[in-house]
Amino acid sequence: MNDSKMITVTSPLLPDLKEFYNSLEKIWDSKWLTNNGSFHQRLEKALAEYLGVEYISLFTNGTLPLITALQALGLTKGEVITTPYSFVATTHSIWWNGLTPVFVDVDPNTGNIDPEKIEAAITEDTVAIMPVHVYGQPCDHERIEAIAKKHNLKVIYDAAHAFGVCKNGESVLKWGDISTLSFHATKVYGTIEGGAIVCRSREMKTKIDNLRNFGIVDEVSVAYPGINGKMDEARAAFGLLNLKQVDAAISKRKQVAERYRKELTGVDGVTFLQEETNIRYNYGYFPIFVNEEKYGISRDALYVKLKENNILGRRYFYPLISTFEPYRTYFSAAPSNLPIATKMAEEVLCLPIHHALSNEEVSRIVDIVRKIK
Ligand SMILES: *Cc1c(COP(=O)(O)O)cnc(C)c1O
């Protein structure tokens, strides 16, 4: 173990502390701590503008939006087609609604659900498709939504990685029936814990806002068995301040991604996902894929070697969700049904990427991956 500073895969975006104190003073003065207060309202408005969407509802984390999205669309029975190559919350949200997850393999070029394989997984019980824009790579939404239309299915995008991502100038959050975001501290944009739902109509936003607050419609009526998903004023204030610096953070991330691309191109046995020119990325992750035969050592050996040098890569997304205890016995969870996702999970290593990473730190990482050190 060397004594250099620990480098983590990401680092939270933190607002200026004095500015945060000022916001807290305002909250103390108002004595309004939660339940759609003024910071909450301002953050919803500011995010709608920043993201280029019309209807957004803030939540206390990024998992309740997934659970609530299924509720809002009235999906309480049947099967939901999804990807095994994601954070476990995606599949958990299906389970929490009493629905059955059905895993479909991914496209090796993006890591996203492969539209070619969706139709074969549709049965008379299928009610929705829940894809993930993994690493902020936009899904093939045109094909996914054509299939959904043909079979009368809802589409909920888990856009936890896609904050600010646009394709051909349009926010990916406008796709499908509903998209959900996470503002967890480890994400590109954070409110400590937090999240949101983006939807298509005023009526749907009202329903989602009600579901977020126990299903309460007014003082004397409860329309749905809702949940408590409300964001508080302190975190909304934190989020408002972070919104001012998220563009600068994304620019810094972009510089890191460009250096990795430049310096790791041509390393035998190391590949990465290709970028397209019509997409605005947020550079939330930098996954590399390590082919043991060509690289000489396994992904896990490289992971350990980095760790020995105080560099913490993360194996997102290994193990696959479909291999975890609650889901491994599902018919669709068989590794033979998911060969591409299985291979990606075995080869992937996300390298450190964040706004505070120095050039010297990137050099240390690159040197190890290139086996110079
Ligand atoms: C982070 C994440 C979530 C959950 O968000 P939380 O804010 O941690 O609840 C859901 N899906 C994906 C793909 C994620 O990465």
Side-chain angles (χ1 to χ4, degrees):
M1 195 57 92
N2 73 21
D3 55 7
S4 53
K5 196 181 109 205
M6 177 87 77
I7 303 177
T8 47
V9 79
T10 188
S11 175
L13 201 54
L14 292 169
D16 178 77
L17 198 49
K18 289 221 175 64
E19 285 194 73
F20 190 48
Y21 278 144
N22 289 340
S23 300
L24 290 178
E25 251 171 43
K26 290 193 180 115
I27 295 168
W28 260 239
D29 288 345
S30 74
K31 300 186 175 55
W32 191 305
L33 304 184
T34 186
N35 288 47
N36 203 25
S38 73
F39 282 98
H40 179 285
Q41 288 178 29
R42 277 166 60 198
L43 183 56
E44 275 194 357
K45 214 162 154 253
L47 279 171
E49 203 166 299
Y50 178 89
L51 297 168
V53 299
E54 240 176 319
Y55 303 106
I56 184 164
S57 303
L58 290 176
F59 275 77
T60 191
N61 60 48
T63 301
L64 285 167
L66 286 164
I67 294 174
T68 305
L70 293 161
Q71 285 286 318
L73 295 170
L75 307 176
T76 52
K77 217 173 119 231
E79 297 173 354
V80 177
I81 290 173
T82 189
T83 167
Y85 194 71
S86 178
F87 180 59
V88 73
T90 313
T91 305
H92 282 350
S93 72
I94 297 168
W95 188 93
W96 273 81
N97 279 288
L99 298 156
T100 305
V102 174
F103 299 108
V104 163
D105 207 4
V106 299
D107 177 339
N109 298 312
T110 60
N112 289 327
I113 195 165
D114 186 346
E116 289 285 344
K117 296 178 181 156
I118 291 177
E119 274 195 296
I122 295 174
T123 71
E124 56 187 21
D125 294 329
T126 309
V127 292
I129 308 172
M130 185 180 277
V132 179
H133 302 297
V134 78
Y135 311 128
Q137 291 263 349
C139 289
D140 187 342
H141 75 112
E142 277 164 359
R143 280 160 78 201
I144 291 170
E145 283 158 43
I147 294 165
K149 198 169 170 197
K150 183 171 153 198
H151 296 272
N152 195 23
L153 308 175
K154 302 289 186 194
V155 181
I156 302 111
Y157 288 103
D158 180 343
H161 300 177
F163 184 87
V165 173
C166 294
K167 184 167 181 182
N168 299 322
E170 179 188 59
S171 170
V172 303
L173 302 172
K174 291 192 160 180
W175 299 345
D177 293 283
I178 281 179
S179 292
T180 70
L181 288 161
S182 164
F183 305 146
H184 186 259
T186 54
K187 306 296 206 276
V188 168
Y189 167 80
T191 60
I192 307 178
E193 292 268 2
I197 292 184
V198 173
C199 68
R200 315 276 154 259
S201 71
R202 165 70 46 201
E203 295 70 41
M204 184 54 89
K205 175 170 162 53
T206 302
K207 182 173 186 186
I208 289 163
D209 288 350
N210 291 339
L211 279 165
R212 179 183 64 191
N213 187 30
F214 309 98
I216 294 171
V217 172
D218 60 41
E219 270 183 44
V220 291
S221 28
V222 171
Y224 326 98
I227 196 112
N228 181 0
K230 304 186 301 292
M231 179 182 275
D232 61 83
E233 287 291 274
R235 283 187 285 154
F238 186 100
L240 265 173
L241 294 172
N242 259 355
L243 202 51
K244 295 196 291 187
Q245 52 176 0
V246 70
D247 280 336
I250 290 172
S251 298
K252 286 294 294 289
R253 287 173 171 273
K254 183 177 182 187
Q255 285 171 20
V256 176
E258 280 169 356
R259 264 199 78 195
Y260 280 145
R261 275 184 191 278
K262 192 162 145 244
E263 303 197 29
L264 298 179
T265 295
V267 176
D268 222 18
V270 171
T271 52
F272 24 84
L273 301 175
Q274 293 309 303
E275 281 191 7
E276 284 168 49
T277 51
N278 58 344
I279 295 170
R280 179 196 189 253
Y281 293 95
N282 64 16
Y283 308 96
Y285 301 85
F286 197 89
I288 63 170
F289 299 87
V290 180
N291 179 306
E292 181 174 357
E293 216 168 285
K294 290 192 193 142
Y295 186 64
I297 62 168
S298 69
R299 179 275 312 271
D300 286 341
L302 176 59
Y303 166 80
V304 170
K305 193 171 163 197
L306 287 164
K307 207 166 174 181
E308 283 166 356
N309 284 276
N310 265 349
I311 299 160
L312 294 178
R314 292 297 301 267
R315 288 165 289 187
Y316 297 140
F317 286 97
Y318 163 84
L320 289 182
I321 302 173
S322 48
T323 68
F324 290 134
E325 197 57 42
Y327 308 118
R328 68 200 324 163
T329 56
Y330 285 65
F331 185 68
S332 65
S336 58
N337 184 45
L338 309 165
I340 309 283
T342 302
K343 183 164 185 285
M344 289 181 86
E346 276 163 12
E347 296 191 343
V348 72
L349 183 61
C350 286
L351 298 180
I353 186 165
H354 56 80
H355 64 285
L357 211 55
S358 71
N359 284 332
E360 185 271 327
E361 288 172 319
V362 177
S363 299
R364 271 174 57 200
I365 297 160
V366 164
D367 284 353
I368 291 167
V369 179
R370 292 180 62 175
K371 302 183 199 148
I372 293 169
K373 287 223 171 90

